Amino acid sequence: TQLLEQSPQFLSIQEGENLTVYCNSSSVFSSLQWYRQEPGEGPVLLVTVVTGGEVKKLKRLTFQFGDARKDSSLHITAAQPGDTGLYLCAGGGGSNYKLTFGKGTLLTVNP
Amino acid sequence: DAGVIQSPRHEVTEMGQEVTLRCKPISGHNSLFWYRQTMMRGLELLIYFNNNVPIDDSGMPEDRFSAKMPNASFSTLKIQPSEPRDSAVYFCASSPGLNYGYTFGSGTRLTVV
C-alpha cells in the first residue's frame, strides 16, 4: 500500500510570512498532484508534477517534486489570508488510475 | 462548465434508513470516483468507474454500500441501511485521465443519527 505522509499537520502563521509543507513517501510515484480544499468545498487541483526534480510556480506558490519521485514540497511566499485551507498531496502510479491522498496540512493565515 | 454537481449538499437521516447520493460528472470525463472524507481517515476512495463500468470497488466498506453509473452523466452511491459510523463528507470526482487531475464536486455532508 502506497502511503503519503504530510507535515506539518497544522500550521498557523501571520500574513506575510513564508512557509513550506512537505509530502513524503517510501514509494515512487509517476506523478504527484497538489490540491487545496476550502471549508465546505471539494479539493481543487493546483498543480501536477511528473518529472523527478521538477519545479513549478503558481504565483506565490512553488512546488517541487523530489529527484527520486518519492517526495514533494510546497512553498508559499508572503502568505495571505486567502491561502487558508487544507493542502492535500496525491500520488499517482503510472497506469494505475488510483490517486493516493495524504491527510493534508491545514494552513491558517491570520491577518 | 458547471463542474461536478452533487446532491444533496446535506443529508441528515436516522440509523437504518436508506440514503442515496447523486453525482453528475463533467461532460467528456470518462472516469468517475466516489470518495469519503473524515478527520480520522482523510480521503478514502470507495469506487472507480471508467466509461460507466465499475473497475474497482475494493474501497466500498461493506455490502451496505452500492454504486451505479447507468450513463455517462449520472452516478449514485447508496447506503442501505445507514449507520452512525457512515457519517462523513462524500465526494464525487471526475477526470479525463490521471495526469489531468481530478475535478471534485462540493460534496454531500451525511449525518446519520
Side-chain angles (χ1 to χ4, degrees):
Chain A
T1 302
Q2 296 176 311
L3 293 175
L4 280 167
E5 304 261 350
Q6 291 191 244
S7 61
Q9 191 175 354
F10 301 96
L11 186 57
S12 180
I13 61 171
Q14 293 299 122
E15 182 176 359
E17 293 184 5
N18 301 332
L19 66 114
T20 302
V21 297
Y22 301 93
C23 174
N24 295 294
S25 175
S26 58
S27 302
V28 175
F29 291 98
S30 63
S31 68
L32 198 133
Q33 300 172 0
W34 284 91
Y35 292 78
R36 179 169 64 211
Q37 183 178 16
E38 297 185 10
E41 298 297 328
V44 175
L45 179 67
L46 296 174
V47 76
T48 300
V49 286
V50 297
T51 305
E54 182 176 3
V55 176
K56 280 192 175 179
K57 292 192 175 185
L58 185 66
K59 296 183 180 177
R60 295 175 294 100
L61 279 59
T62 301
F63 305 86
Q64 183 162 10
F65 201 10
D67 291 341
R69 291 185 287 130
K70 293 183 178 181
D71 55 86
S72 181
S73 63
L74 160 58
H75 181 80
I76 302 179
T77 303
Q80 299 177 1
D83 296 326
T84 292
L86 178 68
Y87 287 81
L88 296 159
C89 65
S95 60
N96 187 342
Y97 55 86
K98 285 186 181 180
L99 278 181
T100 300
F101 279 86
K103 291 189 176 181
T105 293
L106 185 60
L107 172 66
T108 303
V109 182
N110 303 298
Chain B
D1 195 332
V4 176
I5 299 173
Q6 290 187 247
S7 64
R9 286 298 307 269
H10 302 274
E11 177 81 38
V12 180
T13 191
E14 291 186 347
M15 182 173 62
Q17 296 298 306
E18 177 180 298
V19 176
T20 299
L21 312 180
R22 297 173 175 79
C23 175
K24 176 178 168 53
I26 290 175
S27 176
H29 284 193
N30 61 358
S31 298
L32 183 140
F33 307 84
W34 282 100
Y35 279 85
R36 177 171 66 179
Q37 187 177 40
T38 61
M39 287 290 292
M40 288 296 294
R41 302 171 73 93
L43 272 169
E44 301 174 277
L45 177 63
L46 300 177
I47 189 168
Y48 157 62
F49 291 88
N50 189 54
N51 293 324
N52 314 338
V53 176
I55 303 299
D56 184 351
D57 65 355
S58 60
M60 296 285 262
E62 48 199 89
D63 291 346
R64 298 184 298 105
F65 285 68
S66 63
K68 293 182 179 180
M69 192 166 185
N71 56 63
S73 59
F74 184 65
S75 177
T76 59
L77 177 68
K78 184 179 294 186
I79 308 173
Q80 165 65 17
S82 57
E83 297 183 2
R85 60 191 169 122
D86 302 331
S87 297
V89 182
Y90 290 81
F91 287 104
C92 175
S94 69
S95 173
L98 177 59
N99 284 345
Y100 291 93
Y102 294 179
T103 301
F104 283 81
S106 296
T108 295
R109 180 173 294 277
L110 173 65
T111 303
V112 184
V113 297

CSV table of all heavy atoms in Angstrom, one decimal, chain A residues 48-109:
chain,number,residue,atom,x,y,z
A,48,THR,N,0.2,19.6,-11.2
A,48,THR,CA,0.7,18.3,-11.3
A,48,THR,C,2.1,18.3,-11.7
A,48,THR,O,2.5,19.0,-12.6
A,48,THR,CB,-0.1,17.5,-12.4
A,48,THR,OG1,-1.5,17.5,-12.1
A,48,THR,CG2,0.4,16.1,-12.6
A,49,VAL,N,2.9,17.5,-11.0
A,49,VAL,CA,4.4,17.4,-11.4
A,49,VAL,C,4.6,15.9,-11.7
A,49,VAL,O,4.1,15.0,-11.1
A,49,VAL,CB,5.3,17.8,-10.3
A,49,VAL,CG1,5.3,19.4,-10.2
A,49,VAL,CG2,4.9,17.2,-8.9
A,50,VAL,N,5.4,15.7,-12.8
A,50,VAL,CA,5.6,14.3,-13.3
A,50,VAL,C,7.1,13.9,-13.4
A,50,VAL,O,7.4,12.7,-13.5
A,50,VAL,CB,4.9,14.1,-14.6
A,50,VAL,CG1,3.4,14.3,-14.5
A,50,VAL,CG2,5.5,15.0,-15.7
A,51,THR,N,8.0,14.9,-13.4
A,51,THR,CA,9.4,14.6,-13.6
A,51,THR,C,10.2,14.8,-12.3
A,51,THR,O,10.0,15.8,-11.7
A,51,THR,CB,10.0,15.5,-14.7
A,51,THR,OG1,9.2,15.4,-15.9
A,51,THR,CG2,11.4,15.1,-15.0
A,52,GLY,N,11.1,13.8,-12.0
A,52,GLY,CA,11.9,14.0,-10.8
A,52,GLY,C,12.7,15.3,-10.8
A,52,GLY,O,13.3,15.6,-11.9
A,53,GLY,N,12.7,16.1,-9.7
A,53,GLY,CA,13.4,17.3,-9.7
A,53,GLY,C,12.6,18.5,-10.3
A,53,GLY,O,13.1,19.7,-10.2
A,54,GLU,N,11.4,18.2,-10.8
A,54,GLU,CA,10.6,19.3,-11.5
A,54,GLU,C,10.2,20.4,-10.4
A,54,GLU,O,9.8,20.0,-9.3
A,54,GLU,CB,9.4,18.7,-12.1
A,54,GLU,CG,8.5,19.7,-12.9
A,54,GLU,CD,7.4,19.0,-13.6
A,54,GLU,OE1,7.2,17.7,-13.5
A,54,GLU,OE2,6.6,19.7,-14.3
A,55,VAL,N,10.3,21.6,-10.9
A,55,VAL,CA,9.8,22.7,-10.1
A,55,VAL,C,8.8,23.5,-10.9
A,55,VAL,O,9.0,23.8,-12.1
A,55,VAL,CB,10.9,23.7,-9.7
A,55,VAL,CG1,10.4,24.9,-8.9
A,55,VAL,CG2,12.0,23.0,-8.9
A,56,LYS,N,7.6,23.8,-10.3
A,56,LYS,CA,6.6,24.6,-10.9
A,56,LYS,C,6.2,25.7,-10.0
A,56,LYS,O,6.1,25.5,-8.8
A,56,LYS,CB,5.4,23.7,-11.2
A,56,LYS,CG,5.5,22.9,-12.5
A,56,LYS,CD,4.2,22.3,-12.9
A,56,LYS,CE,4.3,21.5,-14.3
A,56,LYS,NZ,3.0,20.9,-14.7
A,57,LYS,N,5.9,26.8,-10.6
A,57,LYS,CA,5.5,28.0,-9.9
A,57,LYS,C,4.1,28.4,-10.3
A,57,LYS,O,3.8,28.5,-11.5
A,57,LYS,CB,6.5,29.1,-10.0
A,57,LYS,CG,7.8,28.9,-9.4
A,57,LYS,CD,8.7,30.1,-9.4
A,57,LYS,CE,10.0,29.8,-8.6
A,57,LYS,NZ,10.9,31.0,-8.5
A,58,LEU,N,3.3,28.8,-9.3
A,58,LEU,CA,2.0,29.3,-9.5
A,58,LEU,C,1.8,30.5,-8.6
A,58,LEU,O,1.5,30.5,-7.4
A,58,LEU,CB,0.9,28.2,-9.1
A,58,LEU,CG,-0.5,28.5,-9.4
A,58,LEU,CD1,-0.8,28.6,-10.9
A,58,LEU,CD2,-1.4,27.4,-8.7
A,59,LYS,N,2.2,31.7,-9.2
A,59,LYS,CA,2.2,33.0,-8.5
A,59,LYS,C,3.1,32.9,-7.3
A,59,LYS,O,4.3,32.7,-7.4
A,59,LYS,CB,0.8,33.4,-8.1
A,59,LYS,CG,-0.2,33.7,-9.3
A,59,LYS,CD,-1.5,34.1,-8.8
A,59,LYS,CE,-2.4,34.4,-10.1
A,59,LYS,NZ,-3.8,34.8,-9.7
A,60,ARG,N,2.6,32.9,-6.1
A,60,ARG,CA,3.4,32.9,-4.9
A,60,ARG,C,3.7,31.4,-4.4
A,60,ARG,O,4.4,31.2,-3.3
A,60,ARG,CB,2.8,33.7,-3.7
A,60,ARG,CG,2.7,35.2,-4.0
A,60,ARG,CD,1.9,35.9,-2.9
A,60,ARG,NE,0.5,35.5,-2.9
A,60,ARG,CZ,0.0,34.6,-2.1
A,60,ARG,NH1,0.8,34.1,-1.1
A,60,ARG,NH2,-1.3,34.3,-2.1
A,61,LEU,N,3.2,30.4,-5.1
A,61,LEU,CA,3.3,29.0,-4.7
A,61,LEU,C,4.4,28.4,-5.6
A,61,LEU,O,4.4,28.5,-6.8
A,61,LEU,CB,2.0,28.3,-4.8
A,61,LEU,CG,0.9,28.4,-3.7
A,61,LEU,CD1,0.5,29.9,-3.5
A,61,LEU,CD2,-0.2,27.6,-4.0
A,62,THR,N,5.3,27.7,-4.9
A,62,THR,CA,6.4,26.9,-5.6
A,62,THR,C,6.3,25.5,-5.2
A,62,THR,O,6.3,25.1,-4.0
A,62,THR,CB,7.8,27.5,-5.3
A,62,THR,OG1,7.8,28.8,-5.7
A,62,THR,CG2,8.8,26.7,-6.1
A,63,PHE,N,6.1,24.6,-6.2
A,63,PHE,CA,6.0,23.2,-6.0
A,63,PHE,C,7.3,22.5,-6.5
A,63,PHE,O,7.7,22.8,-7.6
A,63,PHE,CB,4.8,22.6,-6.8
A,63,PHE,CG,3.5,23.3,-6.4
A,63,PHE,CD1,3.1,24.5,-7.1
A,63,PHE,CD2,2.6,22.8,-5.5
A,63,PHE,CE1,2.0,25.1,-6.8
A,63,PHE,CE2,1.5,23.4,-5.2
A,63,PHE,CZ,1.1,24.6,-5.9
A,64,GLN,N,7.8,21.5,-5.8
A,64,GLN,CA,8.9,20.7,-6.2
A,64,GLN,C,8.7,19.2,-6.0
A,64,GLN,O,8.1,18.8,-5.0
A,64,GLN,CB,10.2,21.1,-5.4
A,64,GLN,CG,11.4,20.5,-5.9
A,64,GLN,CD,12.7,21.2,-5.4
A,64,GLN,OE1,12.7,22.1,-4.6
A,64,GLN,NE2,13.8,20.7,-6.0
A,65,PHE,N,9.0,18.5,-7.0
A,65,PHE,CA,9.0,17.0,-7.0
A,65,PHE,C,10.4,16.5,-6.7
A,65,PHE,O,11.3,16.9,-7.4
A,65,PHE,CB,8.5,16.5,-8.3
A,65,PHE,CG,7.9,15.1,-8.3
A,65,PHE,CD1,7.6,14.4,-7.1
A,65,PHE,CD2,7.6,14.5,-9.5
A,65,PHE,CE1,7.0,13.2,-7.1
A,65,PHE,CE2,7.0,13.2,-9.5
A,65,PHE,CZ,6.7,12.6,-8.3
A,66,GLY,N,10.5,15.6,-5.7
A,66,GLY,CA,11.9,15.1,-5.4
A,66,GLY,C,12.5,14.4,-6.5
A,66,GLY,O,11.8,13.8,-7.4
A,67,ASP,N,13.8,14.4,-6.5
A,67,ASP,CA,14.6,13.7,-7.6
A,67,ASP,C,14.2,12.2,-7.8
A,67,ASP,O,14.1,11.7,-8.9
A,67,ASP,CB,16.1,13.8,-7.4
A,67,ASP,CG,16.6,15.2,-7.5
A,67,ASP,OD1,15.9,16.0,-8.1
A,67,ASP,OD2,17.7,15.5,-7.0
A,68,ALA,N,13.9,11.6,-6.6
A,68,ALA,CA,13.6,10.2,-6.6
A,68,ALA,C,12.1,9.9,-6.8
A,68,ALA,O,11.6,8.8,-6.8
A,68,ALA,CB,14.1,9.5,-5.4
A,69,ARG,N,11.3,11.0,-7.0
A,69,ARG,CA,9.9,11.0,-7.1
A,69,ARG,C,9.2,10.3,-6.0
A,69,ARG,O,8.2,9.6,-6.1
A,69,ARG,CB,9.5,10.3,-8.5
A,69,ARG,CG,9.9,11.2,-9.6
A,69,ARG,CD,9.4,10.6,-11.0
A,69,ARG,NE,10.2,9.4,-11.4
A,69,ARG,CZ,9.7,8.3,-11.7
A,69,ARG,NH1,8.4,8.1,-11.7
A,69,ARG,NH2,10.4,7.3,-12.1
A,70,LYS,N,9.7,10.5,-4.8
A,70,LYS,CA,9.1,9.9,-3.6
A,70,LYS,C,8.6,11.0,-2.6
A,70,LYS,O,7.9,10.7,-1.7
A,70,LYS,CB,10.1,9.1,-2.8
A,70,LYS,CG,10.6,7.8,-3.4
A,70,LYS,CD,11.5,7.1,-2.5
A,70,LYS,CE,12.0,5.8,-3.1
A,70,LYS,NZ,12.9,5.0,-2.2
A,71,ASP,N,8.9,12.3,-2.9
A,71,ASP,CA,8.5,13.3,-2.0
A,71,ASP,C,8.3,14.6,-2.8
A,71,ASP,O,8.7,14.8,-4.0
A,71,ASP,CB,9.6,13.6,-1.0
A,71,ASP,CG,10.9,13.8,-1.6
A,71,ASP,OD1,11.2,15.0,-1.9
A,71,ASP,OD2,11.7,12.9,-1.7
A,72,SER,N,7.6,15.5,-2.2
A,72,SER,CA,7.3,16.8,-2.8
A,72,SER,C,7.2,17.9,-1.7
A,72,SER,O,6.9,17.6,-0.5
A,72,SER,CB,6.0,16.7,-3.6
A,72,SER,OG,5.7,18.0,-4.2
A,73,SER,N,7.4,19.1,-2.1
A,73,SER,CA,7.2,20.2,-1.2
A,73,SER,C,6.4,21.3,-1.8
A,73,SER,O,6.4,21.5,-3.1
A,73,SER,CB,8.5,20.8,-0.7
A,73,SER,OG,9.3,21.3,-1.8
A,74,LEU,N,5.7,22.1,-1.0
A,74,LEU,CA,5.0,23.3,-1.5
A,74,LEU,C,5.5,24.5,-0.6
A,74,LEU,O,5.4,24.4,0.6
A,74,LEU,CB,3.5,23.1,-1.3
A,74,LEU,CG,2.6,24.3,-1.2
A,74,LEU,CD1,2.7,25.1,-2.5
A,74,LEU,CD2,1.1,23.9,-1.0
A,75,HIS,N,6.0,25.5,-1.3
A,75,HIS,CA,6.5,26.7,-0.6
A,75,HIS,C,5.6,27.8,-1.0
A,75,HIS,O,5.3,28.1,-2.1
A,75,HIS,CB,7.9,27.0,-1.0
A,75,HIS,CG,8.5,28.2,-0.3
A,75,HIS,ND1,9.0,28.1,1.0
A,75,HIS,CD2,8.7,29.4,-0.7
A,75,HIS,CE1,9.4,29.3,1.4
A,75,HIS,NE2,9.2,30.1,0.3
A,76,ILE,N,5.1,28.6,0.1
A,76,ILE,CA,4.3,29.8,-0.2
A,76,ILE,C,5.1,31.0,0.3
A,76,ILE,O,5.5,31.0,1.5
A,76,ILE,CB,2.9,29.7,0.5
A,76,ILE,CG1,2.2,28.4,0.0
A,76,ILE,CG2,2.1,31.0,0.3
A,76,ILE,CD1,0.8,28.3,0.7
A,77,THR,N,5.2,31.9,-0.5
A,77,THR,CA,5.9,33.2,-0.2
A,77,THR,C,4.9,34.3,0.1
A,77,THR,O,3.9,34.4,-0.5
A,77,THR,CB,6.7,33.7,-1.4
A,77,THR,OG1,7.7,32.6,-1.8
A,77,THR,CG2,7.5,34.9,-1.1
A,78,ALA,N,5.2,35.0,1.2
A,78,ALA,CA,4.3,36.1,1.6
A,78,ALA,C,2.9,35.7,1.7
A,78,ALA,O,2.0,36.2,1.0
A,78,ALA,CB,4.5,37.3,0.7
A,79,ALA,N,2.6,34.7,2.6
A,79,ALA,CA,1.2,34.1,2.7
A,79,ALA,C,0.2,35.2,3.0
A,79,ALA,O,0.4,36.2,3.6
A,79,ALA,CB,1.2,33.1,3.8
A,80,GLN,N,-1.0,35.0,2.4
A,80,GLN,CA,-2.1,35.9,2.6
A,80,GLN,C,-3.3,35.1,3.2
A,80,GLN,O,-3.4,33.9,3.0
A,80,GLN,CB,-2.5,36.4,1.2
A,80,GLN,CG,-1.4,37.3,0.6
A,80,GLN,CD,-1.8,37.8,-0.8
A,80,GLN,OE1,-2.9,37.6,-1.3
A,80,GLN,NE2,-0.9,38.5,-1.4
A,81,PRO,N,-4.2,35.8,3.8
A,81,PRO,CA,-5.4,35.1,4.4
A,81,PRO,C,-6.1,34.2,3.4
A,81,PRO,O,-6.7,33.1,3.7
A,81,PRO,CB,-6.3,36.2,4.9
A,81,PRO,CG,-5.3,37.3,5.3
A,81,PRO,CD,-4.2,37.2,4.2
A,82,GLY,N,-6.1,34.6,2.1
A,82,GLY,CA,-6.8,33.8,1.1
A,82,GLY,C,-6.1,32.5,0.8
A,82,GLY,O,-6.7,31.6,0.1
A,83,ASP,N,-4.9,32.3,1.4
A,83,ASP,CA,-4.2,31.0,1.2
A,83,ASP,C,-4.7,30.0,2.2
A,83,ASP,O,-4.3,28.8,2.2
A,83,ASP,CB,-2.7,31.2,1.4
A,83,ASP,CG,-2.1,32.0,0.3
A,83,ASP,OD1,-2.6,32.0,-0.8
A,83,ASP,OD2,-1.1,32.8,0.6
A,84,THR,N,-5.5,30.4,3.2
A,84,THR,CA,-6.0,29.5,4.2
A,84,THR,C,-6.8,28.3,3.6
A,84,THR,O,-7.6,28.5,2.7
A,84,THR,CB,-6.9,30.3,5.2
A,84,THR,OG1,-6.1,31.2,5.9
A,84,THR,CG2,-7.6,29.3,6.1
A,85,GLY,N,-6.5,27.1,4.1
A,85,GLY,CA,-7.2,25.9,3.6
A,85,GLY,C,-6.4,24.7,3.9
A,85,GLY,O,-5.4,24.7,4.5
A,86,LEU,N,-7.0,23.6,3.5
A,86,LEU,CA,-6.3,22.2,3.6
A,86,LEU,C,-5.6,21.9,2.4
A,86,LEU,O,-6.2,21.9,1.3
A,86,LEU,CB,-7.4,21.2,3.9
A,86,LEU,CG,-6.9,19.7,4.1
A,86,LEU,CD1,-6.1,19.6,5.4
A,86,LEU,CD2,-8.1,18.8,4.1
A,87,TYR,N,-4.3,21.7,2.5
A,87,TYR,CA,-3.4,21.4,1.3
A,87,TYR,C,-3.2,19.9,1.3
A,87,TYR,O,-2.6,19.3,2.2
A,87,TYR,CB,-2.1,22.2,1.4
A,87,TYR,CG,-2.3,23.6,1.1
A,87,TYR,CD1,-2.8,24.5,2.0
A,87,TYR,CD2,-2.1,24.1,-0.2
A,87,TYR,CE1,-3.0,25.8,1.8
A,87,TYR,CE2,-2.4,25.5,-0.5
A,87,TYR,CZ,-2.8,26.3,0.5
A,87,TYR,OH,-3.0,27.6,0.2
A,88,LEU,N,-3.6,19.3,0.2
A,88,LEU,CA,-3.5,17.8,0.0
A,88,LEU,C,-2.5,17.5,-1.1
A,88,LEU,O,-2.6,18.1,-2.2
A,88,LEU,CB,-4.9,17.2,-0.3
A,88,LEU,CG,-6.0,17.4,0.7
A,88,LEU,CD1,-7.3,17.2,0.1
A,88,LEU,CD2,-5.8,16.3,1.8
A,89,CYS,N,-1.7,16.5,-0.8
A,89,CYS,CA,-0.9,16.0,-1.9
A,89,CYS,C,-1.5,14.6,-2.3
A,89,CYS,O,-2.1,13.9,-1.5
A,89,CYS,CB,0.6,15.9,-1.6
A,89,CYS,SG,1.0,14.7,-0.3
A,90,ALA,N,-1.3,14.2,-3.6
A,90,ALA,CA,-1.9,13.0,-4.1
A,90,ALA,C,-0.9,12.4,-5.1
A,90,ALA,O,-0.5,13.1,-6.0
A,90,ALA,CB,-3.2,13.2,-4.7
A,91,GLY,N,-0.6,11.1,-4.9
A,91,GLY,CA,0.4,10.5,-5.8
A,91,GLY,C,-0.3,9.5,-6.7
A,91,GLY,O,-1.2,8.8,-6.3
A,92,GLY,N,0.2,9.4,-8.0
A,92,GLY,CA,-0.4,8.5,-9.0
A,92,GLY,C,0.7,7.5,-9.4
A,92,GLY,O,1.9,7.9,-9.5
A,93,GLY,N,0.3,6.3,-9.7
A,93,GLY,CA,1.3,5.3,-10.1
A,93,GLY,C,1.2,4.9,-11.5
A,93,GLY,O,0.9,3.7,-11.8
A,94,GLY,N,1.6,5.7,-12.5
A,94,GLY,CA,1.6,5.3,-13.9
A,94,GLY,C,0.3,5.0,-14.4
A,94,GLY,O,-0.7,5.8,-14.4
A,95,SER,N,0.1,3.7,-14.9
A,95,SER,CA,-1.2,3.3,-15.5
A,95,SER,C,-2.2,3.1,-14.4
A,95,SER,O,-3.4,2.9,-14.6
A,95,SER,CB,-1.1,2.1,-16.3
A,95,SER,OG,-0.6,1.0,-15.5
A,96,ASN,N,-1.8,3.1,-13.1
A,96,ASN,CA,-2.7,2.9,-12.0
A,96,ASN,C,-3.6,4.2,-11.9
A,96,ASN,O,-3.1,5.2,-11.6
A,96,ASN,CB,-1.9,2.7,-10.7
A,96,ASN,CG,-2.8,2.3,-9.6
A,96,ASN,OD1,-4.0,2.6,-9.6
A,96,ASN,ND2,-2.3,1.8,-8.5
A,97,TYR,N,-4.9,4.0,-12.1
A,97,TYR,CA,-5.8,5.1,-12.0
A,97,TYR,C,-5.9,5.7,-10.7
A,97,TYR,O,-6.4,6.8,-10.5
A,97,TYR,CB,-7.2,4.6,-12.5
A,97,TYR,CG,-7.6,3.5,-11.6
A,97,TYR,CD1,-8.3,3.6,-10.4
A,97,TYR,CD2,-7.3,2.2,-12.0
A,97,TYR,CE1,-8.7,2.6,-9.6
A,97,TYR,CE2,-7.7,1.1,-11.2
A,97,TYR,CZ,-8.4,1.3,-10.0
A,97,TYR,OH,-8.7,0.3,-9.2
A,98,LYS,N,-5.6,5.0,-9.6
A,98,LYS,CA,-5.8,5.4,-8.3
A,98,LYS,C,-4.8,6.5,-7.9
A,98,LYS,O,-3.6,6.4,-8.1
A,98,LYS,CB,-5.6,4.3,-7.3
A,98,LYS,CG,-6.8,3.3,-7.3
A,98,LYS,CD,-6.5,2.3,-6.1
A,98,LYS,CE,-7.6,1.2,-6.1
A,98,LYS,NZ,-7.4,0.2,-5.0
A,99,LEU,N,-5.4,7.6,-7.3
A,99,LEU,CA,-4.6,8.6,-6.6
A,99,LEU,C,-4.6,8.3,-5.1
A,99,LEU,O,-5.6,8.0,-4.5
A,99,LEU,CB,-5.2,10.0,-6.8
A,99,LEU,CG,-4.9,10.7,-8.1
A,99,LEU,CD1,-5.5,12.1,-8.1
A,99,LEU,CD2,-3.4,10.8,-8.3
A,100,THR,N,-3.4,8.2,-4.5
A,100,THR,CA,-3.3,8.1,-3.1
A,100,THR,C,-3.1,9.4,-2.5
A,100,THR,O,-2.2,10.2,-2.8
A,100,THR,CB,-2.0,7.2,-2.8
A,100,THR,OG1,-2.1,5.9,-3.4
A,100,THR,CG2,-1.9,7.1,-1.2
A,101,PHE,N,-4.1,9.8,-1.6
A,101,PHE,CA,-4.0,11.1,-1.0
A,101,PHE,C,-3.4,11.1,0.4
A,101,PHE,O,-3.6,10.1,1.2
A,101,PHE,CB,-5.5,11.6,-0.8
A,101,PHE,CG,-6.1,12.2,-2.0
A,101,PHE,CD1,-6.7,11.4,-3.0
A,101,PHE,CD2,-6.0,13.6,-2.3
A,101,PHE,CE1,-7.3,12.0,-4.1
A,101,PHE,CE2,-6.5,14.1,-3.4
A,101,PHE,CZ,-7.2,13.3,-4.3
A,102,GLY,N,-2.6,12.1,0.7
A,102,GLY,CA,-2.2,12.3,2.1
A,102,GLY,C,-3.3,12.9,2.9
A,102,GLY,O,-4.4,13.2,2.3
A,103,LYS,N,-3.2,13.0,4.2
A,103,LYS,CA,-4.2,13.5,5.1
A,103,LYS,C,-4.3,15.0,5.1
A,103,LYS,O,-5.2,15.6,5.6
A,103,LYS,CB,-4.1,13.0,6.5
A,103,LYS,CG,-4.4,11.5,6.5
A,103,LYS,CD,-4.5,11.0,8.0
A,103,LYS,CE,-4.9,9.5,8.0
A,103,LYS,NZ,-5.0,9.0,9.4
A,104,GLY,N,-3.2,15.7,4.6
A,104,GLY,CA,-3.3,17.1,4.4
A,104,GLY,C,-2.6,17.9,5.5
A,104,GLY,O,-2.3,17.4,6.6
A,105,THR,N,-2.3,19.2,5.1
A,105,THR,CA,-1.8,20.2,6.1
A,105,THR,C,-2.8,21.3,6.1
A,105,THR,O,-3.2,21.9,5.1
A,105,THR,CB,-0.5,20.8,5.6
A,105,THR,OG1,0.6,19.8,5.7
A,105,THR,CG2,-0.1,22.0,6.5
A,106,LEU,N,-3.4,21.5,7.3
A,106,LEU,CA,-4.4,22.6,7.5
A,106,LEU,C,-3.6,23.9,7.8
A,106,LEU,O,-3.0,24.1,8.9
A,106,LEU,CB,-5.3,22.2,8.6
A,106,LEU,CG,-6.5,23.2,8.8
A,106,LEU,CD1,-7.3,23.3,7.5
A,106,LEU,CD2,-7.4,22.8,10.0
A,107,LEU,N,-3.7,24.8,6.8
A,107,LEU,CA,-3.0,26.1,7.0
A,107,LEU,C,-4.0,27.2,7.3
A,107,LEU,O,-5.0,27.4,6.7
A,107,LEU,CB,-2.3,26.4,5.6
A,107,LEU,CG,-1.7,27.8,5.5
A,107,LEU,CD1,-0.5,28.0,6.5
A,107,LEU,CD2,-1.2,28.1,4.1
A,108,THR,N,-3.6,28.0,8.3
A,108,THR,CA,-4.4,29.2,8.7
A,108,THR,C,-3.4,30.4,8.6
A,108,THR,O,-2.4,30.4,9.2
A,108,THR,CB,-4.9,29.1,10.1
A,108,THR,OG1,-5.8,27.9,10.2
A,108,THR,CG2,-5.8,30.3,10.4
A,109,VAL,N,-3.8,31.4,7.8
A,109,VAL,CA,-3.0,32.6,7.7
A,109,VAL,C,-3.8,33.7,8.3
A,109,VAL,O,-4.9,34.1,7.8
A,109,VAL,CB,-2.7,32.9,6.2
A,109,VAL,CG1,-1.9,34.2,6.2
A,109,VAL,CG2,-2.0,31.8,5.5
